[in-house]
Amino acid sequence: MIEKKQVVTIAGNDSDGSAGMPADMHAFFTDDTYGMGLLTAAVAGNSVGIYQQQIMPADFVAKEFDVLAADFDIAAAKTGMLGNSAIIQTIAKKYKQKDFGPLVVDPVIITKHGDFLLEKDAYADFKKLIIPLAEVITPNYYEAETLTGVKIPLADPQPAMVKAAKALQKMGAKNVVVKGPHESDDQKEVTDLLLTAESEEKWFTQPFVKTNKINGTGDTFSAIITAEIAKGSDLVSA
C-alpha cells in the first residue's frame, strides 16, 4: 500500500466552500494527497461577496502548527488568507521551527469582489517575513502589481510580468508564477509566466474559459502545485 503524501493549507475558511481552505482541500483530494487545514481566519461569504470575517488568535495558530508537526509528516504546505501582522509573524516563526516542506505562497490580498483579506498595515510584514519563505509564489497580475509597484498593462502585459517576477525574487521568493490578465469576455487565451530560481522564463498559454464560477481559481491552482511538489513532481510539471 502506498501512503498518500500529507500536505497542509494555512488559510481561511470560506463558508460557501468555493475558495480558501475548502477549495484547497478539494484540490488536495482530487490530486491524491491527504490534506490538512491550519485555520487562520473564517469568512461569512457567498458567491456575491464577503460580509464578515474573523481572524483566529495568534496563539491558536501557533498551537495548530505544534500539534500537526507532532503527529504528521507534512511534505509541502501552502498559504492563503493570513489576515493580519500577528498571524504573519506567527507563521513565519513557526515555519522556521517546524518541517512542513516547501512552501507555496498564494498572496491572498483582495477578492474579485473587491473585499480586502489582508489588513493594509500587514503588507510590510508579508513582504519581509512570508515572501522569503516561498519556494513558489503565485500572484495574479493585480497581486503582483500591489506587492511590487510594477504596473502591468492589459494591452502588453508580458514585459511587466517579467519585471514584477524579478522584483518578487529580489524580495526572497525562489520561483515566481505571475498569472496573466483575463479581464475581457472576448479574450481567447491566458498566458502565465514562471520565472524559475535559475532565471529561466517559461510561458504557459491556455484557452480562456468563461464560466460563472468566479471564486477559488487561484486557491485551486496553488493547491495543485503544492500537492504535486509533495508527490515529487518537478516545478514545471507541477
Side-chain angles (χ1 to χ4, degrees), residues 103 105 131 134-139 144 148 150 152 158-180 191-204 221 225 229 235-237:
L103 182 66
V105 173
I131 291 178
E135 182 72 21
V136 188
I137 189 169
T138 63
T148 67
V150 175
I152 300 176
Q158 294 188 12
M161 289 167 67
V162 173
K163 184 177 180 180
K166 290 180 177 178
L168 287 165
Q169 283 188 334
K170 287 181 179 179
M171 294 179 194
K174 291 182 181 177
N175 303 277
V176 180
V177 178
V178 178
K179 292 173 280 186
T191 298
D192 300 338
L193 165 68
L194 166 62
L195 182 65
T196 71
E198 295 76 31
S199 299
E200 293 182 80
E201 296 175 23
K202 297 186 179 297
W203 296 92
F204 301 86
F221 178 72
I225 292 173
I229 288 174
L235 183 58
V236 173
S237 299

Side-chain angles (χ1 to χ4, degrees), residues 5-11 21 24-25 28 33-39 64-65 68 74-80 95 99-104 223 226-227 230:
K5 292 293 184 180
Q6 298 167 2
V7 290
V8 65
T9 176
I10 305 166
M21 187 175 289
D24 293 338
M25 297 295 277
F28 290 157
T33 54
Y34 180 77
M36 288 169 274
L38 196 159
L39 186 67
E64 290 182 283
F65 264 95
L68 289 182
I74 295 168
K78 64 152 291 189
T79 63
Y95 213 90
D99 184 8
F100 279 12
L103 182 66
V104 177
T226 306

Side-chain angles (χ1 to χ4, degrees), residues 4 7 15 29 35 42 64 87 95 107 118 120 123 133-134 149 151 163 172 188 193 196-197 211 215 223 235-236:
K4 292 181 186 293
V7 290
S15 56
F29 178 82
E64 290 182 283
I87 298 296
Y95 213 90
L118 179 66
K120 292 184 179 181
Y123 286 147
L133 297 176
K151 179 64 178 176
K163 184 177 180 180
K188 302 300 182 184
L193 165 68
T196 71
T211 78
N215 294 332
L235 183 58
V236 173

Side-chain angles (χ1 to χ4, degrees), residues 78-91:
K78 64 152 291 189
T79 63
M81 178 182 176
L82 302 183
N84 61 25
S85 288
I87 298 296
I88 288 169
Q89 292 168 16
T90 299
I91 290 167

